[in-house]
């Protein structure tokens, strides 16, 4: 310690701390705050508190000490309180003693910290209040909410020898339960096989807003554990593209997110590759959902899975994205769109803003992005299923059916959230297209790579739509598309990294190119009779 221990009053036979000083000093470089805030649960006479105040807080900072001191009912408890109350002022640093049980003290701190706003939280937390595993777990859970991102979080007695580690009266069970619950939110800084203490460095943000009724909407939603429910429906052929959509969505969107993938036939290998493509985030969950028995997708094809999903999703609101999309901006704004009582939100279709010959002429949306109020949409699912069977051969299949079914029951969303036809037909003026705010797609939040994966020869040679439409990963690429390189860059962050330069990719491109040529020759020969 920086000051002589003779200045402090400690019981010589009760030194359970000094042996920790070398390992604690090695942790100081991790503390970046010039004036660290320290929280200590279980202070006894203040050996550790004095050490931290005179070393870590030598240039400023403060400590909050929580200890029940036997509620002052025993001479020993009163004596510990007396010594702590004399020792801490002698450091010349700022301190506070909360002489009560840890749970009410921590709840009081949580309420106080909320009022501190951006300065809330602690840089160093020491949990040493009880040897019972359930007490240790509860103290840690409450203190974790007070720990800033980067906080040094120390559990004492992880290798305590006086009780079996499996006993309720040993803290390890509680510490291990905490570690399992918060996996992904911290990094280990201790070697628990050798060190007496369990030492973590927090890598996640604080979550303390649940105690206040009035708070910012974003903080309130986060405090309640609310988040975005993102949905895709794919088979194995779109697994690679889906990995780009999902990863880009997670990278651009902060906060809690659950990804539901409706499994329309995804092989086990591709499922694992999708999982491994996700950024390492503790607040992101990936769930694969099986199609129900008798599903429309099983009966009529994968295109109808977005109708099936409305029945099986275990939530009341969902954001559906096609797998041929690249997310470039946080989805939070889109997710919070007020649907004003409508069942779905969608963006206008850039190719056919007023529909086409197969449907009634009216404002027509693209079904690649759907923000769905499932509670409302589910009230007419039987009618929707009947409409599917009635219109199963419609020109644009599910998109036509959804436009007919939700006519008058959809809210228009900005084209930035479903930017279609970029670099190709979006540049071609038409009377219908002139009603659209195409400028909203200049810096889109979600890019939709419309068009076929592998275009036909007729599409490639069509003189009226050049560059032609196709997806980046197909044999023809996406010529003229301003975000095709960005898509490939995103792919290289997934388990499919390096695919563009691989031999299998080039073999696939050549095979699909030859297939497009042969298919066109066959169609030509069937029409021309010698």
């Amino acid at each position: 310690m920086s000051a002589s221990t003779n200045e402090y009053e400690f019981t010589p036979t009760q030194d359970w701390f000094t042996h920790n000083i070398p390992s604690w000093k090695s942790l100081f470089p991790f503390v970046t705050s010039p004036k660290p805030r320290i929280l200590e649960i279980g202070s006894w006479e203040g050996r550790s508190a004095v050490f931290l105040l005179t070393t870590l807080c030598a240039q400023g900072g403060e400590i909050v000490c929580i200890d029940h001191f036997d509620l002052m009912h025993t001479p020993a408890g009163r004596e510990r309180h007396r010594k702590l109350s004399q020792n801490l002022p002698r450091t010349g640093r700022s301190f506070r003693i909360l002489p009560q049980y840890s749970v009410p003290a921590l709840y009081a701190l949580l309420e106080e910290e909320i009022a501190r706003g951006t300065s809330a939280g602690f840089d160093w937390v020491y949990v040493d209040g009880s040897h019972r595993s359930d007490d240790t777990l509860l103290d840690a859970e409450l203190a974790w909410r007070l720990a800033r991102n980067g906080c040094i979080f120390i559990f004492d007695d992880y290798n305590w020898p006086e009780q079996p580690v499996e006993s309720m009266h040993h803290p390890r069970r509680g510490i291990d339960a905490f570690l399992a619950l918060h996996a992904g939110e911290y990094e280990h800084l201790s070697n628990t096989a050798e060190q007496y203490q369990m030492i973590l460095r927090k890598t996640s943000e604080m979550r303390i807003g649940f105690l206040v009724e009035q708070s910012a909407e974003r903080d309130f939603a986060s405090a309640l554990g609310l988040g975005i429910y993102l949905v895709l429906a794919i088979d194995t052929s779109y697994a690679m593209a889906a990995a780009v959509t999902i990863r880009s969505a997670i990278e651009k969107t902060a906060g809690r997110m659950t990804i539901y993938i409706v499994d329309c036939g995804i092989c086990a290998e591709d499922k694992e590759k999708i999982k491994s493509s996700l950024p390492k985030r503790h607040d992101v969950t990936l769930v694969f959902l099986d199609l129900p028995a008798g599903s429309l997708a099983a009966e009529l094809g994968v295109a109808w899975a977005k109708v099936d999903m409305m029945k099986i999703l275990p939530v009341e609101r969902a954001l559906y994205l096609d797998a041929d999309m690249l997310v470039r901006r946080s989805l939070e704004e889109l997710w919070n769109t007020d649907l004003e009582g409508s069942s779905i939100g969608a963006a206008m279709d850039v190719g056919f803003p007023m529909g086409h010959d197969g449907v009634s002429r009216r404002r027509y949306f693209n079904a690649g992005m759907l923000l769905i109020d499932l509670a409302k949409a589910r009230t007419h699912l039987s009618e929707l299923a009947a409409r599917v069977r009635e219109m199963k051969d419609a020109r644009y299949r599910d998109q036509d059916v959804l436009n007919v079914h939700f006519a008058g029951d959809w809210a228009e969303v900005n084209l930035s959230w479903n930017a279609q036809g970029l670099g190709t037909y979006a540049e071609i003026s038409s009377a219908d297209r002139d009603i659209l705010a195409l400028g909203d797609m200049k810096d889109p939040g979600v890019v939709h790579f419309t068009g076929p994966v592998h275009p036909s020869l007729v599409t490639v040679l069509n003189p009226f739509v050049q560059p032609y439409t196709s997806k980046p990963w197909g044999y023809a690429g996406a010529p003229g598309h301003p975000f095709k390189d960005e898509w490939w860059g995103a792919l290289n962050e997934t388990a499919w990294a390096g695919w563009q330069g691989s031999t299998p990719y080039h073999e696939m491109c050549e095979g699909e190119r030859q297939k497009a040529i042969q298919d066109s020759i066959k169609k030509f020969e069937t029409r021309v009779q010698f």
Side-chain angles (χ1 to χ4, degrees):
M1 299 181 186
S2 60
S4 169
T5 54
N6 293 331
E7 298 178 24
Y8 306 102
E9 189 175 355
F10 299 124
T11 302
T13 58
Q14 294 183 339
D15 184 359
W16 302 293
F17 168 70
T18 302
H19 66 279
N20 293 313
I21 287 178
S23 66
W24 280 30
K25 281 186 174 180
S26 71
L27 300 171
F28 286 178
F30 290 102
V31 181
T32 58
S33 173
K35 296 182 178 181
R37 299 188 70 220
I38 301 165
L39 173 62
E40 184 175 80
I41 304 169
S43 294
W44 203 253
E45 297 173 346
R47 284 184 187 271
S48 55
V50 167
F51 168 74
L52 289 169
L53 286 175
T54 56
T55 54
L56 185 60
C57 296
Q59 304 304 316
E62 63 177 321
I63 192 168
V64 177
C65 296
I66 300 174
D67 200 305
H68 59 70
F69 303 106
D70 302 336
L71 298 182
M72 307 299 182
H73 291 333
T74 67
R78 292 192 292 272
E79 179 65 3
R80 293 196 302 273
H81 182 264
R82 182 190 70 78
K83 289 181 177 179
L84 183 67
S85 299
Q86 289 187 1
N87 288 331
L88 296 187
R90 292 172 180 170
T91 66
R93 307 290 184 267
S94 180
F95 70 91
R96 183 179 174 195
I97 300 172
L98 300 181
Q100 59 188 130
Y101 278 118
S102 56
V103 170
L106 288 167
Y107 266 96
L109 274 180
L110 282 162
E111 291 188 283
E112 291 176 12
E113 290 300 302
I114 290 164
R116 290 177 64 96
T118 56
S119 66
F122 291 86
D123 304 289
W124 186 290
V125 174
Y126 184 32
V127 180
D128 185 26
S130 172
H131 284 130
R132 281 186 62 98
S133 57
D134 53 353
D135 290 345
T136 303
L137 175 60
L138 186 53
D139 286 347
E141 282 295 328
L142 294 173
W144 193 246
R145 286 166 166 76
L146 291 162
R148 293 170 175 164
N149 191 338
C151 173
I152 301 301
F153 203 90
I154 303 175
F155 291 94
D156 199 31
D157 299 318
Y158 188 74
N159 285 315
W160 189 48
E162 294 186 20
Q163 294 287 328
V165 295
E166 67 272 11
S167 168
M168 175 64 78
H169 298 283
H170 193 292
R172 183 180 290 194
R173 285 176 62 186
I175 297 170
D176 286 345
F178 175 87
L179 295 176
L181 281 170
H182 292 279
E185 299 180 25
Y186 58 82
E187 59 177 323
H188 283 282
L189 297 182
S190 57
N191 181 341
T192 53
E194 300 175 2
Q195 289 185 238
Y196 186 75
Q197 298 178 322
M198 170 64 71
I199 304 174
L200 312 175
R201 181 173 179 269
K202 190 177 183 184
T203 58
S204 56
E205 299 298 330
M206 290 188 299
R207 186 163 65 89
I208 62 174
F210 66 93
L211 289 175
V212 244
E213 294 180 3
Q214 292 83 25
S215 64
E217 182 177 339
R218 178 175 179 176
D219 293 339
F220 187 67
S222 175
L224 292 178
L226 303 178
I228 294 174
Y229 298 110
L230 180 64
V231 189
L232 289 84
I234 61 167
D235 60 13
T236 279
S237 68
Y238 267 84
M240 181 178 71
V244 171
T245 304
I246 295 168
R247 184 179 178 92
S248 63
I250 295 171
E251 287 185 333
K252 298 298 183 182
T253 310
R256 183 85 181 94
M257 184 181 293
T258 301
I259 316 293
Y260 292 108
I261 298 181
V262 180
D263 182 357
C264 302
I266 312 171
C267 71
E269 179 185 357
D270 282 340
K271 283 185 179 181
E272 289 305 313
K273 291 177 78 171
I274 290 172
K275 290 177 184 177
S276 66
S277 296
L278 269 61
K280 303 303 180 186
R281 287 254 303 268
H282 70 279
D283 53 358
V284 173
T285 306
L286 177 65
V287 180
F288 288 93
L289 296 176
D290 293 328
L291 287 166
S295 68
L296 291 167
E299 178 186 346
L300 302 173
V302 176
W304 304 103
K306 67 180 67 171
V307 176
D308 292 320
M309 75 181 183
M310 296 184 194
K311 182 178 181 180
I312 64 175
L313 286 168
V315 292
E316 301 304 311
R317 185 181 178 94
L319 174 61
Y320 169 84
L321 294 181
D322 274 353
D324 55 355
M325 289 182 155
L326 174 70
V327 179
R328 304 182 64 252
R329 197 162 66 241
S330 171
L331 294 173
E332 186 178 9
E333 179 186 338
L334 173 59
W335 176 258
N336 290 325
T337 299
D338 184 357
L339 297 181
E340 300 179 343
S342 297
S343 293
I344 64 171
M348 293 281 284
D349 187 81
V350 175
F352 298 97
M354 296 301 294
H356 54 86
D357 293 343
V359 293
S360 299
R361 183 171 174 79
R362 59 164 67 95
R363 294 177 78 86
Y364 179 87
F365 62 79
N366 183 280
M369 181 281 292
L370 299 171
L371 182 61
I372 313 171
D373 179 345
L374 289 162
K376 191 170 189 296
R378 284 171 180 149
T379 60
H380 300 290
L381 282 185
S382 58
E383 292 94 325
L384 177 56
R387 184 82 66 181
V388 167
R389 291 187 170 86
E390 175 188 334
M391 297 179 60
K392 65 182 188 314
D393 297 320
R395 180 178 177 182
Y396 291 108
R397 316 239 292 170
D398 57 307
Q399 184 164 286
D400 285 350
V401 169
L402 293 170
N403 268 277
V404 171
H405 179 76
F406 289 109
D409 188 25
W410 65 283
E412 186 174 336
V413 174
N414 191 289
L415 276 173
S416 173
W417 298 112
N418 186 355
Q420 315 142 50
L422 294 174
T424 176
Y425 60 83
E427 314 298 325
I428 302 172
S429 179
S430 72
D432 286 354
R433 204 165 290 139
D434 288 345
I435 69 173
L436 301 178
L438 295 175
D440 292 338
M441 300 197 297
K442 288 184 177 179
D443 184 23
V446 177
V447 174
H448 189 177
F449 293 94
T450 47
V453 176
H454 304 298
S456 67
L457 184 147
V458 173
T459 298
V460 171
L461 297 181
N462 180 2
F464 301 105
V465 182
Q466 290 295 334
Y468 49 84
T469 58
S470 61
K471 303 191 192 305
W473 63 95
Y475 81 88
H481 201 293
F483 297 105
K484 62 178 180 180
D485 292 338
E486 198 169 313
W487 186 92
W488 281 111
L491 181 69
N492 284 332
E493 298 298 320
T494 74
W496 283 269
W499 171 245
Q500 188 178 20
S502 69
T503 298
Y505 169 73
H506 289 291
E507 290 175 347
M508 178 274 294
C509 288
E510 180 58 24
E512 291 296 336
R513 189 177 71 86
Q514 291 299 324
K515 183 175 180 296
I517 293 172
Q518 295 305 315
D519 286 347
S520 295
I521 291 173
K522 287 179 182 178
K523 288 179 182 178
F524 173 78
E525 289 177 342
T526 60
R527 293 194 180 191
V528 178
Q529 302 296 324
F530 292 98

